[in-house]
Amino acid sequence: MACGIVKFLLPPTAIHSAVYCHFFNKREKCLVVAGLNFIQVYRLNVVHSSLPVANADVNMEDVSAVTAPPAAPMSTARPSSPAFDDEDDLYGPSKNVEPPKLTAPEVKIVSTFPLVSAENIRLECVASFELFGTITDLKSATMGTSNRDVLLLSFTDAKLSVVQYDPVVNDLRSISLHDYEAAKYSDEMPTNLGAAKPCMAVDPENRCAVMRLYRTHLLVVPFVHPPARSDNSLNGPKPATQLKSFALNLKRIKDETAEFIQDIQMLPGYLEPTVAVLIHRSLSFAGRIAVSADTCYVAAISLNTHEKTYHLIWSCTGLPYNSHYLRNVPRPIGGLLVVSTSSIIYVQQGVQSHGVSVNSLAVGGARFSLKPVPNVVAVLDGSQCTFFEPERLLLALRNGTAFVVTLVYDSATRNIRDFHWQQVLVNRYVSCITHLEGGYIFTGGKMSDSYLYSYLTSQWIEADGAYLDGDPNAAAHQRSLLPKKPLLDRIEDDFIYGPEAHVTIVTSLKKYHFIACDSILNVGPCRTTAVGEPINTLEDFTRTPDKDADLVTSSGYENDSYVCAMHRTIRPDVVASFDLHGAENIWTLRSSGATYHEYVVITTVGRTAVFQSGEEISEDVEHPFRVDERTIFCGLINDGRTPVQVTRFHVRIACAAADSGAVVTELELAEGEEIAFATEGGGNRLAVLTTLGKLWLFEWHSATDSLIPSNHRELSNIAAVSFFTDRSGIFTSSLPRDVGTIDMEIEPEKPVLERMESIPEPEEDELYGLYSTQNEKSDNTHREKRFTRTQEELHQFLQEERVNAMLYGSSEWLLVVHRDSTLSIFSLPDLVVVFEASSILHAPRVIHDVRALDQLSVPPELIDSACADMRIREVLLLGLGSRGTQPYLFVVINEDIHVYHAVPFHYGRDGARLRISFSKVKHEMLTRERRLKRQKLPKEHMEVDDRLAKRHLRPFHDIGGYSGVFLCFPYSFFVMATDRNVLRFHPMVVDGPIKAFAEFSNASCAAGFVYYNSRKQIRVAQLEPGWNYDFNWPMTKIRVPGTVHHLSYHLECKAYVVCSSLFYPEKRMIIGGVDNVEEEVVERDPRFVYPQAPRFSLHLITPDEWQLVPEVSYQLPDFEHITGMKVLALRNGTETGMKEYVVMASNMSYGEDVQSRGRLILIDVLDLIPEPDKPLTRFKMKEIYAEEQKGPVTAICGVNGYIVSAIGQKIFIWTLKGATLVGVAFLDTQIYVHQLTAIKDLILVADIQRSTSILRFQEKYRTLSLVASDPNQMHTYATEFCVDNQNLTVAVTDIRQDLHIFQFDPDYYFSSFGNRLVRRMECNLGQYVTNMFRFHCAAWYPDAERVGHLALTKKHVTMFTTLEGAVGCYVNIPEKTYRRVLMIETILSNHCNHRAGLSPRLYWNAKTSADERFDLVGNIKTVADGKVLSLFMELDYTEQHEVAAKIGCVVDTLVEELLDIDRQTSLF
């Protein structure tokens, strides 16, 4: 029976929505973006090319006296105790109570800092969360006076979750869940509308949130203030709450009916929550425009959250039938914008509507007089817009063009006079637009990358002089022409709108310039995929065919289209290589101020070799190092000027003498002590750890030019040690200080259960207009002033928070792990404990200070039972990024690596402790090898051998411009970091296990590295140039002209064939019959929107330089669409052997009145001798065959040297004879075949409506016959074979994002003697899969021979790519492994954190119901979820032990089975 597992190798990268809110605290806002099933939090960061220079050493007391800001007066409304508030958070607000200071660690003051400008602003990722659901919308809201905002997430089909950040666990905490998938709501959804995705709106006064339910219902979620704060702040913050939600039926609103709710918006300024609803009174389309063109209307309804009722306030009817969405116009203008396909209409209560048309098709579509927009012809369906100023919005169209639309507002008439348009961007296909403070705008992309823009303004001068921005005389002249308002109206305006309402204001025009500051990469939508050979064939490396390939996918759309080349493992570019037996460790030394490294020190078991680095690496005989012992550590002290060597029994220092010589001194430890580990820190300190666990600390003394012991206290029973220099500013006991004008004092919450207003009966215009109390006005105004920054204020904030990150400069710390697995951080030089955590041997998710929270730790006996024979081998705490401002902690426990990120944590009872915690970073690095078949050494031998073994963690600062850590394990990894603050985990296994590693740079290898492989070779290498390593996989992008539809690799020419299309306006109409086609040119007015028709072409991409081959293309005629393109190996009857041809299937799309015909086109790509100095001129394209067929050619593939084509409702087999195709066999099929796949003589057919079927071509008898088919109806998207030795199954994806596994089983009772395919497994991927392909299973990893190397060579992995930019795979696994994985999945579905209340099992279940199938198969299994691997490995060891005990297994067995799955799917 078929058993398999699905694993995603690359997560989705498309961004659907974004909000800008106070995610962590009220101190600063963060950008929260949401993709398909993930949430990422970004903040603005500053990137500089030059680092600040430290020039002074002072004590903390002196610095605090100078740089500490004066204490603000205590607020009388704030409780006097406790000193630490329970609403503190990750980047928490400052408090006025000063904690006790630390004992003066040594710090360095930065003298000068570069200034912040818009060009060096970047997005820094500070948090990321994965959810078990498809996010359809994202909003933020503030509940009462909570110190952070909440996120509202809507999911398919009708779920809403309210979550909030929890600093205690550094994760999302679910506040409330709302599920309205009941039949009484969903049954009203007509089938012709499909599934209406939920959309949300939040009340501007944060009183409630509203979400659309299916067709005509609204979900209302009222908010209530959070409970009063507790006096005990040590248990963390209290979550916010809200009232019970309810649903409203808007099927009929007074005299108007509602057929479908198109969009909703919450209106500001009303006494009760008021929502504006865009409603279709009846559904219409372009064919009924003569009788029903104005079927939409806007209704503003007031919500009574206590009575759960609503009533109509005002409405506006007669809107176009193709109205798409609403947008709130900010104050002081107010009102709504209704955006339709051809117009924008401004509506407001009591104000005359005003609209503009962007094309001539808007005439007759609404009951409004629409003013044409000059010089603009556009279509607004699929557009996105948002206001970034009270009267200006950014409007992005679906064709990639973006405009700044200015609402010319006249306060005298309280009306919109005009809409002014300015084009600012091109080729930017936007899915969401979010306005950030300080003059920044973020645009998310599903079809392209996401960008962060900074906009600048300049003076705008119209050609006729009508608008002169900044000219007071022109503005006064315009105001003088306006009519004067009566005095009575001015008095009423003063009462309602304020004393300045009588002042006439006319919007001034400005010219905007957008500058791209940063981007977030997106590789979707992946419509097609190809696998090709890389340039570097890895001949110098251990032969790994599964890594000897590049994954090439399509990306982008139209003019912003790319081809993305990716591979998972790093392939180094080897510069030099030489043999050296027995190397154990490598160090490279570069003195202060030197450009390149001068020495390469390599140690073996009994001796040390020293090489001099120059143009070449040669062995040096005159050096100050000791060569007759094994070296434990080698580095530089005295600020990089003095070499130090630590051997097993000596510490050797070489000081420069006055006569340019070197004075060598040696320090010896006490008799009987042997050095096991050593490290340096801060440039002047050295730590030496003996095998007995005693730690010696030395400090460089400048006066005597020597190392002197600096231990003020004896440190013993130490297992691991690491120095750390903090440049982030979070290693401090002080709470963050206040910044500028941002008032961080938050009033305490009042225990209000309900919001009740008692007011006199107001006038109608006051109640339903802009009524608000004076307190609310002042509060809103105060809030806006507090949290709205200008660009200058934002840059000042970033200067103090990012550039001057450390309040007192850089500080130095010492981290030690004792043999009882407790972790301690000491301040230097006084060695005072400032952070201490209990046992970390079980790798907890969050490491807190023992004095931070009143929470129970894991019992020691449970840790001992789960972590038997485990111990901490090495720790490393360092700052990553270009400026080293991202602290990360690496912990090696046996052969497992655990990575922690240091984050601020402002809770605790002791003010002298560090206010930090360490949160585990999610990764899928499995660095161990199989344990069960390994011979274990005695424990006493393990301790001695391991202490003298090689170091696993090798930090580097500049390898190809990246900093990070290299992991020397049986399965080695690069851990890279940039200013994006996202760790990238790239394996490097092409050269086998790496035993030693160090960064290296010389004249022939700049910013490279040197390593020692398993074949006893020292290699100098560098990263491949032209590849971007700041992504999940190393990748490079190649721009392609037009949208990529098909992609294939030409093996003989070593090039990629790309089929793309570009849209152009089509003015011709095709009339006549099939054989007599005539063209008629239709001319319309200049503002008419002509239909966009694609024009297809063929191009070549060479992997030599990863660029498009110039002057080599094949253009197809107009109206001809390419439906399929593949490179097939064909037999030619006039030649011997097989030759590759590019085969294309086309369709002549003339329109519905002309019968469709197609062509089969064969193109030969020639590889000729190139012209001198022009290597790309060696490619030529030659057309071999292009004949018209009797129907549209919809799909092609190759089988045994023949061409298989789907023409109409038949499938034909063709053979090539000379330059002609000759038919061999044919078979009638279903409705529309859109994909064909072949393996040997079997052909897999995918029909758009009739599921899938298997055909067999018998070449001997020239017969094409049907083997089996699926009798159910299914909208098939992609199909592929799944090969597992002698077993063959079929994988199929459909329109519901389900994955189905079919099997040909004649013995099964339902298969009707093999005529029907049996559905064995299914699951829901949550993403649309339109492309699948097979690749042989990875069988060349180090442990492959232990699991059956020969069996893996006959096993394939079925790969697939999604429209969201994800890459996944399906692989067959043994039934025993499958059952264990399912049991783990069942346990973890209840054990893991259900973010937003989503269940992983419900998300993974197939959406296709049993009622839709004709078969009676009831025992369909669920495909195993590969996320079990990451979920299980994220657990600490005690939880893993508990899960394994529940299923009657041991942890090593489960880990090794998951390890085999990971190794077999580690492709490319």
Side-chain angles (χ1 to χ4, degrees), residues 892-939:
V892 179
I893 302 177
N894 280 13
E895 288 185 346
D896 295 333
I897 179 70
H898 302 275
V899 185
Y900 292 86
H901 186 204
V903 295
F905 186 77
H906 303 295
Y907 301 98
R909 296 169 295 184
D910 192 348
R913 312 286 282 198
L914 291 180
R915 298 183 179 273
I916 61 172
S917 65
F918 295 93
S919 179
K920 184 182 289 188
V921 177
K922 177 183 177 181
H923 65 83
E924 296 184 0
M925 293 188 300
L926 295 178
T927 56
R928 68 165 69 177
E929 60 182 355
R930 296 175 64 88
R931 294 180 178 179
L932 296 182
K933 297 183 180 181
R934 229 184 297 167
Q935 183 178 3
K936 295 184 179 180
L937 296 175
K939 187 175 181 181

Side-chain angles (χ1 to χ4, degrees), residues 161-172:
S161 298
V162 183
V163 298
Q164 192 177 36
Y165 175 75
D166 187 356
V168 176
V169 295
N170 193 26
D171 206 339
L172 295 179

